[in-house]
Amino acid sequence: MEIMLWLLPTTGLLTGIAVMAFFWATRRGQFDDLDRHGFDILDDDNSETRER
Amino acid sequence: MNAGVITTTITIEDMHCAACSSKVRSALGELPGIGTLRFNPVRRQVLVDHPPALSSAALIRQIERAGFHPAITSAGTDTSPEVQVLLRRLGVSALGMMQVMMVSIALYAGQFDGMSEAWRRVLEYSALIFTIPVLTYSAVPFFVSALDRRRGMSMDTPIALAIGIAFSVSFVHTLKGSGEVYFDAVTMFTFLMLLSRYLDRRMQNRLRFEDSLLASLPATVTLLVNDTQVTCPLADVRPGDRLWVPEGAMLPVDGILVSASATLEEASLTGEADWREASMGDAVHAGTFTRGGAIIIDALSGSADSRYARIDSLANAALSGKHRLSVLADRAAGIFVPTILAIAALAGVFWLVFDPTRALTATLAVLVVSCPCALALATPTALHAALVRLRRAGILVRDGGCLERAAGIRHVRFDKTGTLTDPEPTIIAFQNMGSLPDTWLQGAAAALQQYSSHPLARAFTGLSPLVADTVEVVAGQGVRGRVEGHDVRIGSPAFCNHRSDNAANEAKVVCLTVDGNPAARFHLDSRVRPDASATVQSLRAQDIDVAMLSGDNAEQCARVAGLLDIEWLAAQSPEAKIRAFADPESTLYVGDGINDLPALTHAGVSAATLETTDLVKSRSDVVLLTSRLSALLDLLAISRASRRVMWQNLYWAAGYNLVAIPLAFTGLAPPWAAAVGMSVSSLIVLLNATRLLRVPLPSLQLGKAR
């Protein structure tokens, strides 16, 4: 059971990293448009590259 | 993102199969400048790339011509910082909730299989640590809103109370090392409330509107002082000043025309598309556009006291009054929260007298059991489900309060032009007066009308144009040019040397002259919307009183009212429309012009049509995202269903508390029973609300019946 004393802080650390990654993703605007990109695979036109 | 390309998402509920999508594809393909189309058959949506010049309203009309029922789901993307912060709070609460649940499952297992005191305390402290960020970061908006005294008792009060009480009790129990902890409930509840709030915001923010009438006036004006032009700020214009207004600009103040003549577009004030000819000495109004070249006027008002500004302030005054009306949920919270606090206090006093050792536990038990979760969820979940359903039906609702008012609508008042009728005129009759073939005449007319900005010119876009050169546009009169070697003129009878036979109808007749000889006439009119009649009948069948209030003349009104068989009032000024309301609170007003603004804001519920300006949309409770008027029937049906569900949920929450609180008061409810009761009551409320997602739409029934 003593392994818990290691596991619990490790969970906390990983959660902290996850929160930081999530904040970074929102700042980059990755959640701004959730509908559009699902359709990109159906788009035949590969010539234009979309950048934002 | 490509410059100059807008992506609009359109939901087409009756697009069931591949054949349907190919019909929609070919219909949209006919529009000029249309870009990529992407279909999602599962969600019955199509994403359309189109240039800004092609309005989303035009897309909708094109799909409707193909026989479908489309609705705009989103235009553009949502990047407001406020929503981003909300998303971060949501993310933190989600991650926090997962960790707390993991620890809590170990604690549940410990309850059944046994667990040493020391390990139990370690786990409780871990849950506490993971809950703290959720409480201090994610749940902040609820506390801020609950503590904001200006807002009084709102739905955020029980939410904040639920989170606050459950956390405080658990915190005390963790420090004491005995008693139940509810960190899992705290984090999950916060997460669910934030999730519903985030989804709401995403939906509302998709469409943003320019919302100040006065902001659309020019910032500076050109004054004529001793015949020299001086630029000065709009605010400095005083009555008596002489102003020079360029072609195509908006008049900033009311005044008297000094120039010999002027052509004015007054659509924003009167809602009527036809241009008005004014001559020297006539009154002109702020908010109208000059179309026949630059003009000079003498100001009769400053910018802040023009008729335009008065319409704006009338609209504003009504809006601020409307938002004070509290919604059902807030009223329920106002009664519920003080009652619970009083009962908890009573329990404390009761046990202090009879058995002081149980006082704290019993007081906390009352607070936890009565956990306002079910009550806090009762109305927001129903509202949210109803708003989602309405969005799918092509109706954007700006706030939940108006949904409650919509459920009690007894009167419906329509504007005429652009609301009951199509906003754009169409050619209803063509008269060939010479020997040239019809197709050539129509092609020549379409070729010249491409150059005109006159509202009537838009009726010609459906014809296939020939090629015209040396084109000259004479503002307010017509267009002349050469088509395949012939001199062609199109425009008013006077401009084309046509004999005018019927003075009253002249405004609606467009004449065509080829090489100086009268060649053809086009009779234009705005048609009644295809589903207007069925909508009016259906409203009347629901015992709702329907009437039309128009700024147009009696003759035009009588024609439209005759087709629809409804009562009407003609020549109504913006101010008069308000006076025509029998009972504003239970009136639904449907309009599209700036002249409708006072009426829209004074009505209990106001609806703006798809084709109107952002300004009007921003002042309306409801925006129809489809050009079908029958969407109003959906609005009424869904709002009534949501009112029913809200009451069911409130009764359920109250009933649950009537049983649970006495048990907690007497100390009979064990902690596990309280926990089960809390989750089950919340779950039932949630499931009941989801029924709203499946309310059938009366407008689709209407389509089948015909």
Side-chain angles (χ1 to χ4, degrees):
Chain A
M1 282 297 264
E2 277 63 32
I3 190 75
M4 294 255 283
L5 294 179
W6 287 103
L7 283 177
L8 285 169
T10 313
T11 318
L13 192 70
L14 288 174
T15 310
I17 293 171
V19 168
M20 268 153 54
F22 181 69
F23 276 33
W24 170 82
T26 45
R27 243 197 317 280
R28 285 281 306 267
Q30 295 194 14
F31 295 94
D32 291 346
D33 187 354
L34 300 178
D35 303 323
R36 191 192 173 92
H37 299 291
F39 289 92
D40 283 353
I41 196 166
L42 301 173
D43 196 347
D44 293 333
D45 186 7
N46 295 322
S47 58
E48 57 175 338
T49 46
R50 292 182 190 281
E51 193 60 51
R52 52 173 305 142
Chain B
M1 201 60 76
N2 261 356
V5 173
I6 298 177
T7 305
T8 300
T9 309
I10 297 173
T11 306
I12 308 171
E13 286 242 12
D14 46 3
M15 180 173 73
H16 302 293
C17 57
C20 298
S21 354
S22 76
K23 258 191 224 162
V24 172
R25 181 184 291 278
S26 61
L28 286 174
E30 287 169 16
L31 293 172
I34 205 100
T36 325
L37 302 175
R38 272 156 293 184
F39 286 86
N40 183 337
V42 179
R43 295 165 86 174
R44 295 184 183 156
Q45 285 175 341
V46 54
L47 273 78
V48 187
D49 285 350
H50 58 100
L54 190 64
S55 72
S56 41
L59 300 177
I60 293 287
R61 303 190 140 260
Q62 188 68 16
I63 299 175
E64 279 182 347
R65 269 188 213 126
F68 295 95
H69 294 90
I72 296 176
T73 304
S74 82
T77 54
D78 177 14
T79 48
S80 85
E82 204 184 337
V83 175
Q84 282 208 355
V85 171
L86 195 55
L87 181 62
R88 280 186 212 151
R89 293 192 201 278
L90 179 67
V92 168
S93 72
L95 288 164
M97 176 187 73
M98 287 184 231
Q99 305 314 317
V100 174
M101 277 319 279
M102 185 182 70
V103 173
S104 298
I105 285 172
L107 281 170
Y108 300 154
Q111 292 242 320
F112 291 105
D113 297 346
M115 182 186 270
S116 78
E117 176 72 17
W119 280 116
R120 191 171 61 79
R121 297 203 62 177
V122 166
L123 288 176
E124 282 179 2
Y125 272 103
S126 315
L128 170 65
I129 289 167
F130 284 122
T131 308
I132 285 172
V134 177
L135 190 82
T136 56
Y137 180 71
S138 300
V140 167
F142 301 114
F143 291 113
V144 169
S145 158
L147 292 174
D148 190 339
R149 287 189 166 259
R150 281 166 305 172
R151 296 189 210 173
M153 202 71 87
S154 75
M155 214 50 241
D156 283 336
T157 317
I159 296 173
L161 205 64
I163 298 171
I165 289 169
F167 180 80
S168 318
V169 171
S170 312
F171 184 69
V172 170
H173 286 173
T174 306
L175 293 189
K176 263 172 45 184
S178 68
E180 282 298 302
V181 294
Y182 305 99
F183 294 120
D184 47 348
V186 173
T187 50
M188 198 186 302
F189 186 62
T190 309
F191 170 74
L192 285 177
M193 295 317 294
L194 280 173
L195 184 66
S196 97
R197 191 153 299 193
Y198 173 70
L199 292 176
D200 271 346
R201 286 308 306 271
R202 268 196 89 83
M203 203 157 62
Q204 304 285 331
N205 268 36
R206 288 291 175 82
L207 294 164
R208 249 171 277 142
F209 307 113
E210 184 63 50
D211 70 345
S212 172
L213 195 56
L214 294 177
S216 55
L217 288 173
T220 60
V221 295
T222 309
L223 288 185
L224 289 178
V225 183
N226 301 327
D227 289 334
T228 41
Q229 296 192 351
V230 184
T231 304
C232 95
L234 177 59
D236 291 353
V237 176
R238 296 282 171 270
D241 286 348
R242 182 159 289 193
L243 276 78
W244 180 83
V245 185
E247 151 79 24
M250 189 188 257
L251 296 191
V253 293
D254 293 346
I256 295 283
L257 188 64
V258 177
S259 308
S261 70
T263 306
L264 298 169
E265 182 187 334
E266 298 191 321
S268 65
L269 273 186
T270 61
E272 308 310 323
D274 297 340
W275 292 357
R276 181 170 79 101
E277 299 296 327
S279 50
M280 191 191 287
D282 283 355
V284 293
H285 296 289
T288 58
F289 288 90
T290 58
R291 290 303 180 198
I295 59 168
I296 296 170
I297 62 169
D298 275 342
L300 282 181
S301 71
S303 64
D305 53 355
S306 66
R307 180 129 175 269
Y308 195 60
R310 282 203 305 276
I311 291 180
D312 189 52
S313 61
L314 263 176
N316 279 335
L319 265 192
S320 54
K322 223 176 206 178
H323 286 309
R324 273 200 302 273
L325 293 173
S326 69
V327 294
L328 183 59
D330 291 350
R331 285 205 300 271
I335 300 164
F336 183 81
V337 175
T339 313
I340 291 300
L341 291 178
I343 295 175
L346 200 68
V349 173
F350 179 84
W351 285 112
L352 267 181
V353 174
F354 292 98
D355 183 0
T357 56
R358 295 176 66 180
L360 186 66
T361 338
T363 313
L364 292 182
V366 168
L367 289 175
V368 171
V369 162
S370 77
C371 166
C373 297
L375 185 93
L377 288 169
T379 52
T381 48
L383 275 180
H384 181 75
L387 293 180
V388 169
R389 185 73 191 97
L390 284 164
R391 254 336 265 284
R392 289 201 204 140
I395 303 161
L396 174 75
V397 176
R398 300 183 66 76
D399 74 311
C402 93
L403 215 56
E404 276 172 40
R405 296 194 295 276
I409 288 301
R410 304 302 326 149
H411 312 273
V412 178
R413 295 285 176 271
F414 288 101
D415 176 43
K416 182 177 75 71
T417 319
T419 306
L420 283 174
T421 66
D422 268 333
E424 286 167 17
T426 45
I427 300 169
I428 52 165
F430 171 74
Q431 185 187 353
N432 193 335
M433 302 162 76
S435 52
L436 289 158
D438 287 1
T439 47
W440 193 89
L441 291 169
Q442 289 171 356
L448 291 181
Q449 291 289 36
Q450 285 174 337
Y451 295 89
S452 171
S453 61
H454 195 279
L456 292 182
R458 272 176 250 147
F460 290 81
T461 48
L463 305 171
S464 43
L466 299 169
V467 178
D469 52 61
T470 59
V471 175
E472 189 194 346
V473 179
V474 183
Q477 311 231 6
V479 188
R480 61 169 163 247
R482 290 187 71 80
V483 181
E484 294 179 355
H486 296 278
D487 276 321
V488 182
R489 280 172 168 236
I490 187 163
S492 65
F495 179 72
C496 298
N497 302 320
H498 275 231
R499 192 173 46 86
S500 56
D501 41 21
N502 187 343
N505 278 336
E506 215 168 79
K508 300 286 187 188
V509 173
V510 174
C511 299
L512 188 73
T513 307
V514 179
D515 295 329
N517 302 317
R521 284 188 178 198
F522 296 90
H523 297 265
L524 305 186
D525 213 337
S526 34
R527 276 182 317 189
V528 171
R529 282 187 200 254
D531 61 349
S533 175
T535 305
V536 168
Q537 275 167 25
S538 176
L539 285 172
R540 201 168 285 142
Q542 295 171 34
D543 218 10
I544 290 172
D545 152 54
V546 186
M548 179 174 89
L549 305 176
S550 176
D552 216 344
N553 61 44
E555 192 189 342
Q556 290 291 328
C557 289
R559 186 184 67 86
V560 172
L563 288 172
L564 297 172
D565 183 29
I566 58 173
E567 308 207 349
W568 50 278
L569 285 171
Q572 296 287 298
S573 70
E575 295 85 353
K577 286 188 177 187
I578 304 175
R579 289 194 293 272
F581 289 165
D583 174 20
E585 190 65 7
S586 67
T587 302
L588 167 65
Y589 187 85
V590 193
D592 74 317
I594 288 176
N595 61 321
D596 293 320
L597 273 182
L600 283 168
T601 45
H602 275 82
V605 181
S606 54
T609 55
L610 173 69
E611 297 88 353
T612 182
T613 57
D614 278 2
L615 196 64
V616 173
K617 288 178 184 165
S618 74
R619 301 299 172 86
S620 305
D621 297 319
V622 175
V623 180
L624 302 183
L625 300 177
T626 145
S627 63
R628 281 170 293 131
L629 276 183
S630 52
L632 293 170
L633 301 174
D634 301 339
L635 170 69
L636 296 184
I638 295 171
S639 58
R640 284 186 206 128
S642 79
R643 182 171 64 176
R644 232 171 14 245
V645 167
M646 270 187 231
W647 278 111
Q648 285 165 356
N649 279 353
L650 284 175
Y651 279 131
W652 164 258
Y656 162 76
N657 279 308
L658 273 179
V659 176
I661 291 177
L663 289 177
F665 192 104
T666 50
L668 287 177
W672 64 264
V676 169
M678 257 160 61
S679 358
V680 169
S681 66
S682 304
L683 198 65
I684 286 177
V685 160
L686 272 171
L687 289 176
N688 194 25
T690 58
R691 290 193 310 133
L692 282 173
L693 296 174
R694 295 185 299 272
V695 176
L697 299 181
S699 71
L700 292 179
Q701 305 296 324
L702 209 62
K704 277 178 202 149
R706 260 184 300 160

